Amino acid sequence: PHPSALLPRPMSFSRIPDFDGSFREPDPVPAAAAGIGMALVSWLHLAPTSVQSMAPWLHKGCMALLGNSSTVLAVIFYCAWLAHLGEACYALVLLQRKNCLRSNTALPWFISTFLFGYPSLKNLIKDVRGYRTPKMPNKRSD
């Protein structure tokens, strides 16, 4: 084939859809892992006596992993929730950059990212990157 046939064709900008901020659910397995992990850490930190009475094996196992330190558990609890809050705020920043900061788009993204963290944020990042205006390919001089 002719060498120019190997070059990518320039894209038509009219065919590229604008990102409208529509919500997509996170992948179920990573989201379930993040949700269960956050729930477990929260339960262990906020109500340790109920965990001891309802599931002593769970309490013993989790605390053994943490070196039986409630301080380590508290640090993990606060850092995890702060990280999720930061991710949720970053989701709002991404939506604002694409002019999609409306209550019907921002609220589902914020809540989902706050509860499930990166598994939800990953979809928004993919959507925002996927709808960027593409750059024209560099012309080669032969």
Side-chain angles (χ1 to χ4, degrees), residues 3-98:
S4 64
L6 301 175
L7 294 174
R9 294 182 190 163
M11 292 184 67
S12 168
F13 291 106
S14 62
R15 285 191 257 157
I16 299 171
D18 292 327
F19 177 63
D20 62 354
S22 56
F23 178 71
R24 289 193 311 141
E25 291 84 15
D27 298 328
V29 174
I36 291 169
M38 291 298 291
L40 180 60
V41 167
S42 299
W43 189 29
L44 283 167
H45 178 67
L46 298 174
T49 54
S50 71
V51 181
Q52 286 174 339
S53 64
M54 293 175 71
W57 56 272
L58 182 63
H59 185 267
K60 284 181 185 177
C62 291
M63 292 309 288
L65 288 173
L66 300 174
N68 289 320
S69 173
S70 59
T71 304
V72 172
L73 178 62
V75 168
I76 291 171
F77 171 79
Y78 290 112
C79 288
W81 280 112
L82 283 174
H84 280 242
L85 180 61
E87 289 170 334
C89 291
Y90 181 62
L92 294 179
V93 168
L94 288 175
L95 289 169
Q96 184 180 20
R97 286 183 188 166
K98 290 295 181 179

